[in-house]
């Protein structure tokens, strides 16, 4: 029985029949409801017409008012459902009534009788319904008027029960409902029998045909019984059976071809130089080609059933086999994973494997398949290539250094030649003080020129210590105008533009001038036929990277560049820089000039200095139109805008303070001792840090050392190491560091020694005296604290 119900409810015919019954029920319900409503409305209309007719007839004097007292006449007019009828005067007195006992009474004295409907303002007949103990009633009140009267003199009242009429409506609805149900049942039965004979029988035959196909009887065919939809389905099933039979035959042929292909693949794997491998879902090797077996068996026997990290191979990745195992456990593909091993020949060999995960149709992981190859020859070739590249780079550097050394030697020879010449002339004119002073000024100028050459070399090697101060940028540029005009020659027009408001930055003023000079020289060389060089200064504010919009050209700014900047722009109208070398112009020794005309250090020095000053530099160039360099330097508040030149520094005489001079160069010790003693200091010299510590220890109990003036770079202990040791034992001693080639950068020395005083060699007497006075002042400040 249960099986029968399952077949019935699962039957297509049953589903179609249920659908038809539902549709019929909905349609019959809509039409039946419409007709019930229509008939109910028609009955209500007739009741209203029937109850209002006597009042209108009496009003039109076609019926006597005395008919109200005649029950038989009223029953003929209003039917058996009449409940009450009265003729009521305008004062409420009942003149005629269906019930004789009510004649002469006042309606106000009748219980449960509504008197508010009888108004002198009533002009037309009114109809309304009331609910009483005996059910629902319909009431009609008709006013009667005398000739030319404005108020009714009497009201005709009729009351009819609607209970019987409602029963009639309910009977009609029941009849419609029963008829609809009978119609639905009969129609559904006929449809079911029709579907049973025309559809179900043929579908059962089709299902039996499918079962035979399922069991392998591919030659079975259906006999289509018509041109309808089921006939189309039967012909489609026959076509499917034919196609399936044909494909089965093709599949058998493909299987035979697959066996042949597997045999060929096996032969290829045996003869290929690469490896082929496969692992199961447990990440253990399930298959490997002969080459892979041959490799692993040399180390740890057969790889069958082992994982890669257990085969004795050394992974070349930083994380070893861990990174590979993580990818395997995550079922991710991998490429170019390299490993190495020591072969039987004692040499190091390299291998590379690739793999992809394999999944079943249901998405379950089945394992990996991949390839491998021996890349030992490639590694050895790459090592040889890298060695050759290093040799080539070294030779190029040496060539560039040779060119640079030639230029530097030429510049130093010029300076030394001038110094020696002026010194000889000064000695010859020793009795002429004015001429001697003039020659000595020339010697000092040539010495400063040589110093600037050394400064550029030190900056390139990042060995120079800057002395930053707050300067007004537009003023610094304006002071260079005469030098730039001379440098650019008369074929190039110089234009200098500045910001309306003063702009300040905290940098070494000498290095800012060197930066502008280097950029100007490059611009001059790029305009051999003449042109225009514009140098301008303006302010710029760069928002943080998360606040930059697409209109800010934020792609040109470094990610961490945010804040207020002073922008120095150097723009020329020269030949421009080709796009293919634009990214290399800041590299050391890179130059497009002819040999002997440039060392390739200028832009590298500018780039290094700008970065050390916490700024950055941007380049825009169009071939044939010109180049624009924009140097961004951090903006500062107004402060000291100018560093006094060496010859403008006032003298700072001493008062017998003991200064220990430590330097491994005798001439410098002697020079510094003379300068300090001439200024009134008591100078003592030491050739190295060890001797200086001995002198400090011996004089500690008698005449203590006030200031240590020490070179930074010395044999044995360096100047900073001497300062650390001296301050550890004698905290009250002041320290002044001096060097032209410091061993550490300024930031490193600040971190190591804190607030220190530094004087750059070569120094003027006033500069050295000022440094000693600053050290003494710092010493007094520490004592007060």
């Amino acid at each position: 029985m249960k099986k029968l119900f399952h077949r019935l409810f699962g039957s297509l015919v049953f589903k179609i029949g249920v659908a038809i019954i539902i549709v019929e029920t909905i349609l019959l319900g809509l039409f039946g409801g419409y007709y019930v409503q229509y008939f109910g409305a028609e009955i209500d209309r007739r009741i209203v017409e029937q109850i209002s007719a006597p009042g209108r007839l009496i009003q039109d004097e076609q019926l006597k008012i005395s008919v109200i007292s005649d029950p038989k006449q009223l029953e003929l007019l209003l039917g058996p459902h009449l409940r009450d009828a009265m003729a009521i005067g305008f004062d409420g007195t009942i003149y005629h009534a269906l019930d004789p006992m009510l004649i002469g009474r006042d309606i106000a004295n009748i219980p449960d009788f509504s008197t508010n409907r009888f108004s002198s303002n009533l002009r037309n007949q009114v109809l309304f319904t009331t609910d009483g103990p005996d059910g629902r009633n319909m009431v009609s009140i008709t006013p009667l008027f005398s000739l030319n009267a404005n108020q009714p003199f009497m009201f005709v009242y009729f009351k009819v029960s609607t209970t019987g009429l409602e029963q009639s409506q309910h009977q009609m609805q029941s009849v419609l409902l029963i008829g609809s149900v009978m119609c639905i049942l009969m129609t559904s039965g006929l449809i079911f029998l029709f579907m049973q004979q025309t559809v179900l029988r043929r579908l059962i035959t089709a299902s039996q045909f499918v079962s035979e196909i399922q069991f392998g009887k591919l030659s079975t065919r259906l006999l289509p019984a018509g041109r309808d939809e089921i006939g189309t389905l039967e012909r489609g099933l026959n076509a499917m059976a034919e196609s399936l039979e044909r494909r089965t035959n093709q599949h058998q042929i493909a299987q035979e071809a697959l066996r042949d292909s597997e045999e060929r693949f096996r032969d290829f794997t045996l003869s290929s130089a690469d490896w082929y491998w496969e692992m199961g879902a447990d990440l253990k090797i399930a298959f490997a080609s002969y080459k892979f077996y041959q490799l692993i068996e040399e180390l740890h026997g057969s790889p069958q059933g082992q994982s890669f990290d257990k085969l004795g191979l050394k992974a070349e990745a930083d994380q070893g086999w861990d990174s590979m195992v993580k990818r395997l456990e995550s079922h991710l593909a991998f490429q170019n994973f390299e490993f190495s091993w020591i072969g039987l020949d004692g040499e190091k060999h390299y291998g590379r494997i690739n793999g992809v995960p394999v999944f079943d149709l249901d998405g379950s992981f089945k394992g990996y398949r991949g390839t491998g190859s021996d890349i030992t020859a490639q590694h050895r070739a790459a090592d040889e290539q890298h060695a050759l590249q290093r040799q080539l780079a070294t030779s190029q550097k040496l060539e560039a250094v040779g060119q640079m050394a030639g230029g530097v030697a030429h510049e130093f020879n010029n300076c030394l030649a001038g110094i020696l010449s002026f010194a000889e002339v000064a000695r010859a004119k020793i009795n002429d003080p004015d001429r001697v002073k003039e020659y000595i000024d020339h010697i000092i100028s040539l010495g400063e020129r040589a110093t600037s050459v050394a400064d550029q070399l030190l900056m390139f090697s990042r060995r120079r210590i800057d002395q930053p101060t707050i300067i007004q940028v537009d003023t610094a540029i304006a002071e260079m105008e005469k030098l730039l005009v001379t440098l650019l020659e008369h074929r190039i027009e110089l234009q200098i533009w500045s910001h309306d408001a003063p702009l300040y930055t905290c940098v070494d003023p000498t290095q800012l001038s060197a930066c502008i000079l280097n950029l100007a020289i490059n611009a001059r060389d790029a305009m051999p036929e003449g042109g225009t060089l514009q140098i301008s200064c303006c302010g710029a504010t760069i928002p943080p990277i998360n606040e930059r919009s697409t209109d800010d050209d934020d792609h040109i700014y470094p990610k961490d560049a945010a804040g207020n900047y002073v922008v120095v722009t150097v723009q020329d109208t020269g030949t421009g820089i080709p796009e293919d070398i634009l990214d290399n112009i800041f590299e050391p020794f890179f130059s497009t000039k002819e040999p002997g005309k440039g060392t390739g250090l200028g832009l590298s020095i500018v780039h290094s200095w700008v970065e050390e000053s916490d700024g950055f530099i941007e380049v825009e160039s169009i071939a044939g139109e010109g180049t624009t360099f924009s140097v961004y330097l951090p903006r500062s508040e107004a402060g000291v805008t100018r560093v006094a030149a060496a010859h403008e520094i006032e003298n700072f005489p001493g008062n017998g303070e003991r200064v220990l001079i430590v330097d491994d160069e005798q001439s410098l010790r002697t020079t510094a001792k003379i300068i300090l003693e001439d200024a009134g200091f008591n100078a003592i010299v030491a050739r190295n840090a060890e001797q200086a510590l001995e002198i400090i220890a011996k004089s500690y109990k008698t005449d203590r050392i006030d200031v240590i003036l020490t070179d930074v770079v010395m044999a044995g202990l360096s100047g900073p190491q001497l300062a650390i040791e001296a301050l550890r034992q004698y905290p009250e001693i002041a320290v002044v560091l001096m060097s032209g080639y410091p061993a550490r950068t300024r930031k490193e020395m600040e971190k190591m020694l804190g607030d220190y005083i530094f004087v750059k060699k070569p120094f003027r007497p006033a500069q050295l005296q000022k440094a000693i006075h600053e050290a003494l002042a710092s010493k007094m400040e520490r004592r007060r604290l």
Side-chain angles (χ1 to χ4, degrees):
M1 191 68 180
K2 184 177 181 181
K3 186 176 181 180
L4 180 61
F5 276 112
H6 278 298
R7 290 186 61 186
L8 177 62
F9 292 129
S11 171
L12 178 62
V13 175
F14 177 79
K15 295 177 181 177
I16 295 175
V18 171
I20 292 175
I21 291 173
I22 292 174
V23 172
E24 288 184 342
T25 303
I26 294 173
L27 292 176
L28 290 175
L30 291 175
F31 283 108
Y34 170 76
Y35 282 111
V36 167
Q37 184 178 6
Y38 172 77
F39 290 141
E42 183 64 20
I43 292 173
D44 290 340
R45 187 186 65 78
R46 292 183 180 182
I47 293 174
V48 170
E49 181 68 24
Q50 186 178 12
I51 195 173
S52 61
R56 288 199 305 273
L57 292 174
I58 294 173
Q59 189 179 35
D60 296 338
E61 297 182 355
Q62 295 180 8
L63 189 66
K64 294 182 178 181
I65 196 171
S66 60
V67 73
I68 295 175
S69 300
D70 189 350
K72 292 182 179 181
Q73 291 293 328
L74 289 179
E75 185 176 355
L76 292 175
L77 290 172
L78 299 175
H81 302 294
L82 179 64
R83 290 290 180 266
D84 201 358
M86 292 182 291
I88 303 170
F90 69 92
D91 58 353
T93 303
I94 300 174
Y95 290 96
H96 298 279
L98 183 63
D99 185 3
M101 299 300 296
L102 296 176
I103 296 174
R105 295 181 62 182
D106 194 327
I107 60 175
N109 297 325
I110 299 176
D112 300 327
F113 190 86
S114 178
T115 61
N116 55 357
R117 296 281 184 174
F118 300 91
S119 172
S120 59
N121 295 326
L122 186 63
R123 293 290 184 271
N124 299 312
Q125 186 183 52
V126 294
L127 298 173
F128 58 91
T129 58
T130 61
D131 294 325
D134 53 351
R136 193 175 185 185
N137 302 294
M138 181 171 288
V139 176
S140 169
I141 300 176
T142 306
L144 302 179
F145 294 89
S146 58
L147 187 63
N148 297 326
N150 293 326
Q151 293 182 353
F153 68 91
M154 187 172 291
F155 301 95
V156 179
Y157 174 85
F158 294 101
K159 182 180 180 182
V160 178
S161 175
T162 62
T163 303
L165 299 175
E166 292 175 354
Q167 291 177 352
S168 300
Q169 287 182 339
H170 293 161
Q171 290 176 357
M172 181 185 65
Q173 292 174 355
S174 299
V175 170
L176 288 174
L177 179 62
I178 293 172
S180 299
V181 172
M182 294 298 294
C183 181
I184 291 172
L185 291 176
M186 291 177 63
T187 305
S188 301
L190 292 174
I191 292 175
F192 186 81
L193 292 175
F194 176 77
M195 294 292 293
Q196 178 74 22
Q197 295 299 319
T198 59
V199 177
L200 184 59
R201 180 173 55 81
R202 296 169 65 184
L203 290 178
I204 291 174
T205 303
S207 64
Q208 292 174 351
F209 166 77
V210 173
S211 298
E212 292 178 357
I213 295 295
Q214 182 180 1
F215 287 108
K217 297 180 181 181
L218 300 180
S219 60
T220 305
R221 297 292 184 271
L222 283 172
L223 296 176
R227 306 296 298 179
D228 54 8
E229 289 80 358
I230 297 181
T232 304
L233 174 62
E234 292 169 342
R235 288 188 292 275
L237 291 174
N238 286 335
M240 180 193 68
E242 294 175 0
S243 176
L244 185 60
E245 184 178 13
R246 183 174 61 255
R247 293 188 179 185
T248 301
N249 295 331
Q250 294 175 350
H251 180 65
Q252 292 175 352
I253 298 172
Q255 282 184 327
E256 296 176 358
L258 180 60
R259 284 192 294 270
D260 295 339
S261 176
E262 289 178 348
E263 292 178 359
R264 286 194 298 272
F265 177 74
R266 189 178 300 110
D267 295 337
F268 290 150
T269 58
L270 292 175
S271 61
S272 174
D274 288 338
W275 318 319
Y276 304 92
W277 54 268
E278 184 177 9
M279 65 170 55
D282 58 352
L283 303 181
K284 301 293 179 63
I285 297 175
F287 165 80
S289 61
Y290 173 73
K291 293 291 184 182
F292 194 65
Y293 268 101
Q294 190 178 32
L295 165 66
I296 301 303
E297 284 178 345
E298 292 181 356
L299 302 173
H300 291 285
S302 173
Q304 193 80 21
Q306 299 190 58
S307 57
F308 276 109
D309 56 330
K310 305 298 182 182
L311 295 178
L313 304 173
K314 180 182 178 181
E316 293 296 307
D318 294 337
Q319 299 179 355
W321 285 104
D322 293 340
S323 60
M324 169 65 77
V325 172
K326 289 179 181 178
R327 293 193 71 85
L328 293 176
E329 291 176 348
S330 302
H331 305 162
L332 300 175
F334 61 90
Q335 291 181 341
N336 300 329
F337 186 86
E338 296 186 7
F339 54 88
S340 62
W341 72 94
I342 304 298
L344 297 178
D345 56 359
E347 297 289 334
K348 188 174 184 180
H349 297 261
Y350 295 90
R352 177 189 295 145
I353 55 175
N354 309 290
V356 294
V358 180
F359 298 94
D360 209 342
L361 294 177
D362 59 356
S364 59
F365 175 67
K366 294 180 61 178
Y368 274 87
R369 293 193 187 108
T371 62
S373 56
D374 189 337
I375 58 172
T376 303
Q378 299 177 22
H379 262 266
R380 291 174 181 172
D383 291 341
E384 293 178 0
Q385 183 180 7
H386 291 160
L388 291 174
Q389 288 177 347
R390 286 194 295 271
Q391 293 177 4
L392 177 61
T394 302
S395 63
Q396 291 175 343
K397 290 281 185 177
L398 291 175
E399 180 184 359
V401 170
Q403 295 177 1
M404 180 187 67
V408 171
H410 175 74
E411 186 68 17
F412 268 111
N413 283 333
N414 289 338
C415 295
L416 292 174
I419 290 173
L420 293 174
S421 299
F422 281 116
E424 291 289 341
V425 174
R427 184 168 60 182
K429 300 291 184 179
I430 193 67
N431 295 324
D432 189 348
D434 294 334
R435 299 291 296 275
V436 170
K437 181 179 181 301
E438 178 184 352
Y439 298 149
I440 291 176
D441 289 339
H442 286 298
I443 292 172
I444 294 173
S445 176
L446 289 169
E448 290 178 346
R449 178 178 170 186
T451 301
S452 66
V453 175
D455 283 346
Q456 288 193 5
L457 292 176
L458 292 176
M459 174 178 279
F460 172 70
S461 64
R462 297 179 181 271
R463 294 293 187 177
R464 184 186 185 281
I465 290 183
D466 292 343
Q467 294 179 320
T469 186
I470 297 176
I471 62 172
Q472 186 174 334
V473 180
D474 50 353
T475 301
I477 296 174
E479 291 176 352
M480 297 178 61
E481 184 174 2
K482 292 183 179 179
L483 176 61
L484 290 172
V485 169
T486 303
L487 179 72
L488 296 176
E489 305 169 357
H490 295 291
R491 57 188 174 86
I492 297 174
E493 179 185 357
L494 175 65
Q495 298 178 357
I496 297 179
W497 307 89
S498 61
H499 195 266
D500 293 339
L503 298 173
Y504 300 90
T505 186
C506 185
V507 295
D508 189 324
T510 303
Q511 297 310 313
L512 177 61
S513 300
C515 171
I516 297 174
L517 281 175
N518 271 312
L519 295 177
I521 290 172
N522 279 337
R524 180 199 64 187
D525 295 341
M527 297 183 287
E529 304 299 328
T532 302
L533 175 64
Q534 291 185 352
I535 302 177
S536 60
C537 172
C538 65
T541 300
I542 301 177
I545 189 171
N546 57 348
E547 298 179 8
R548 298 177 192 172
S549 64
T550 55
D551 297 332
D552 290 336
D553 290 336
D554 54 353
H555 63 280
I556 70 171
Y557 300 136
K559 292 183 179 180
D560 55 350
N564 297 322
Y565 288 86
V566 177
V567 185
V568 178
T569 303
V570 179
Q571 182 177 10
D572 64 64
T573 58
T575 56
I577 302 174
E579 186 175 356
D580 56 340
I581 66 170
L582 192 61
D583 295 334
N584 307 110
I585 61 175
F586 294 118
E587 296 179 2
F589 307 109
F590 181 84
S591 177
T592 58
K593 300 176 183 178
E594 298 178 3
K597 293 189 177 180
T599 62
L601 291 176
L603 289 180
S604 176
I605 292 174
V606 169
H607 188 267
S608 300
W609 174 74
V610 171
E611 284 192 343
E612 289 179 355
S613 301
D614 298 326
F616 61 95
I617 185 169
E618 294 291 343
V619 186
E620 295 181 7
S621 183
I622 301 177
E625 296 186 13
T627 304
T628 301
F629 287 87
S630 298
V631 178
Y632 288 76
L633 298 172
R635 188 170 177 177
S636 302
E637 296 297 329
V640 179
T641 61
R642 181 174 176 272
V643 176
H647 62 275
E648 296 176 351
I649 299 177
E650 298 179 358
N651 290 325
F652 292 85
N655 190 23
E657 292 87 350
R658 292 171 60 80
V659 181
L660 176 60
I661 304 169
V662 187
D663 199 311
D664 52 6
E665 179 64 39
Q666 181 179 358
S667 61
L668 290 175
R669 294 198 304 268
T670 303
T671 303
K673 187 174 187 300
I674 293 173
I675 291 173
L676 294 178
E677 287 182 344
D678 288 345
F681 294 96
N682 186 2
I684 307 169
V685 296
R687 63 180 177 274
N688 53 43
E690 291 78 6
Q691 184 181 9
L693 291 174
E694 293 177 0
I695 294 174
I696 295 173
K698 291 179 180 179
S699 61
Y700 184 72
K701 295 182 179 180
T702 56
D703 294 330
R704 296 183 180 182
I705 300 297
D706 296 302
V707 181
I708 299 176
L709 174 63
T710 176
D711 192 11
V712 173
V713 180
M714 295 185 297
L717 292 178
S718 66
Q721 291 173 333
L722 168 62
I724 291 173
E725 183 63 24
L727 291 174
R728 185 180 65 82
Q729 299 182 26
Y730 314 103
E732 71 279 1
I733 294 180
V735 177
V736 177
L737 298 175
M738 60 178 176
S739 179
Y741 189 84
R744 290 181 173 83
T745 65
R746 177 170 173 265
K747 292 183 178 179
E748 290 173 337
M749 294 177 65
E750 282 181 350
K751 184 177 180 181
M752 183 173 62
L753 296 178
D755 187 12
Y756 69 96
I757 297 172
F758 176 80
V759 59
K760 185 179 74 69
K761 295 190 294 187
F763 45 74
R764 296 290 186 85
Q767 291 175 324
L768 181 58
Q769 296 171 22
K770 180 180 179 183
I772 299 298
H773 268 270
E774 289 177 354
L776 291 172
S778 176
K779 175 181 176 180
M780 296 300 296
E781 184 68 23
R782 289 203 307 271
R783 286 182 178 178
R784 285 196 293 269
L785 295 176

